[in-house]
Amino acid sequence: MLPWKRLLRPLAALLLTATVAVVPAATAAQAADAPSRGWNDYSCKPSAAHPHPVVLVHGTFANSVDNWLALAPYLESRDYCVFSFDYGQLSGVPLFHGLGPIDKSAEQLKTFVDKVLTATGAAETDLVGHSQGGLMPRYYLRFLGGAAKVNALVGIAPDNHGTTLSGLTNLLPYFPGVGDFLTTNTPALADQVVGSAFLTKLNEGGDTVPGVKYTVLATKYDEVVTPYRSQFLSGSGVHNVLLQDLCPLDLSEHVAIGLFDRIAFHEVANALDPAHATATTCASALS
């Protein structure tokens, strides 16, 4: 008998990720078109205190607005120039992005970073990504020249070494044709499965590239990127953080850690400005 309860949990998580991506179009347009203090404001000039514009990279099934309705204002209020963009769009699929081949999405990131650097006059940017958004930039850094243009990469629940979706993907060989369907219709999902050709290429020769600072934020309650420790990177310039080591009361899972967990946001701020980092505790939820 198949362990249906275990299978349904990750499926429910994916549905939740998709659900939170759907907000009224007018609200999304207002957030995208009328930033108050720097979110996608191309006249924003980085300050001496925060010289690197921040590019937010959404996750699978998400988009450039909904994934960042909490974190973007959080960073804006701390005087960062903040930008976000959509990537991995499939023809005929509105709102839900991050579904196309990840290497092609990395090319879109490259184009967007160049746009941001040109507009702001900055020499480098910082990248903050949730889920696939923490993984995909590593391809840009390694293969598309991104290391010369990026100071730091902060991954929030990134699937750096793939995911089994709590073992769900291990069942794919028992269902002929399902893997081919994913590859054809949602290439990004296939790319994120443990052992995929994409991940093999990305992680050959080490997890990091010289000159970039890496931070990974994970939660032990992650039900999408499993096991959660597979998110952590190895190499110089890496800082791996388990949120429950900072606040045992933090119950955030895969979606919440990126959408509204202010304890995670505090660690993002620390990673972006390590010279002025302050201790992250449960009280950081109120900061």
Side-chain angles (χ1 to χ4, degrees):
M1 180 181 295
L2 291 173
W4 293 112
K5 289 185 178 179
R6 292 187 61 197
L7 293 177
L8 289 174
R9 279 199 297 267
L11 286 175
L14 286 177
L15 289 174
L16 177 58
T17 305
T19 300
V20 298
V22 181
V23 298
T27 301
Q30 181 180 13
D33 296 338
S36 59
R37 289 190 300 272
W39 188 9
N40 285 342
D41 177 2
Y42 288 91
S43 67
C44 185
K45 299 301 180 184
S47 66
H50 298 144
H52 306 121
V54 177
V55 172
L56 303 176
V57 190
H58 66 74
T60 309
F61 291 118
N63 61 58
S64 62
V65 175
D66 302 332
N67 210 145
W68 308 119
L69 289 174
L71 182 57
Y74 182 94
L75 295 175
E76 284 180 321
S77 69
R78 286 154 178 77
D79 297 322
Y80 285 93
C81 292
V82 182
F83 301 87
S84 63
F85 73 113
D86 288 318
Y87 70 87
Q89 299 93 328
L90 294 181
S91 178
V93 181
L95 291 179
F96 304 104
H97 303 316
L99 298 174
I102 296 181
D103 57 348
K104 299 302 180 183
S105 294
E107 293 177 4
Q108 292 180 275
L109 173 61
K110 171 183 170 66
T111 299
F112 188 75
V113 167
D114 287 345
K115 177 181 178 180
V116 168
L117 292 180
T118 297
T120 60
E124 293 180 311
T125 186
D126 287 332
L127 307 179
V128 179
H130 179 212
S131 193
Q132 182 193 157
L135 163 71
M136 178 268 278
R138 293 181 50 226
Y139 190 94
Y140 165 57
L141 297 178
R142 182 176 292 275
F143 298 111
L144 301 178
K149 300 178 180 180
V150 174
N151 170 65
L153 169 62
V154 183
I156 305 172
D159 47 347
N160 282 314
H161 299 99
T163 177
T164 65
L165 287 178
S166 295
L168 181 60
T169 58
N170 291 333
L171 296 175
L172 290 179
Y174 297 96
F175 297 92
V178 173
D180 291 339
F181 175 85
L182 289 176
T183 302
T184 302
N185 295 277
T186 54
L189 295 182
D191 284 346
Q192 293 173 82
V193 173
V194 170
S196 71
F198 172 82
L199 288 170
T200 298
K201 176 181 178 180
L202 177 64
N203 292 320
E204 279 181 339
D207 293 344
T208 63
V209 296
V212 179
K213 306 178 187 72
Y214 295 82
T215 299
V216 175
L217 308 180
T219 170
K220 69 180 182 181
Y221 300 112
D222 198 314
E223 75 283 59
V224 175
V225 183
T226 55
Y228 73 85
R229 291 194 178 277
S230 69
Q231 301 173 27
F232 292 151
L233 296 172
S234 299
S236 60
V238 171
H239 181 48
N240 293 314
V241 180
L242 181 64
L243 287 190
Q244 284 73 33
D245 288 341
L246 306 175
C247 176
L249 300 178
D250 192 327
L251 301 180
S252 291
E253 41 65 73
H254 184 80
V255 175
I257 188 178
L259 266 62
F260 51 77
D261 187 337
R262 291 178 71 90
I263 295 172
F265 293 177
H266 191 269
E267 274 298 288
V268 170
N270 281 346
L272 296 178
D273 189 5
H276 299 95
T278 58
T280 300
T281 67
C282 293
S284 300
L286 305 175
S287 64

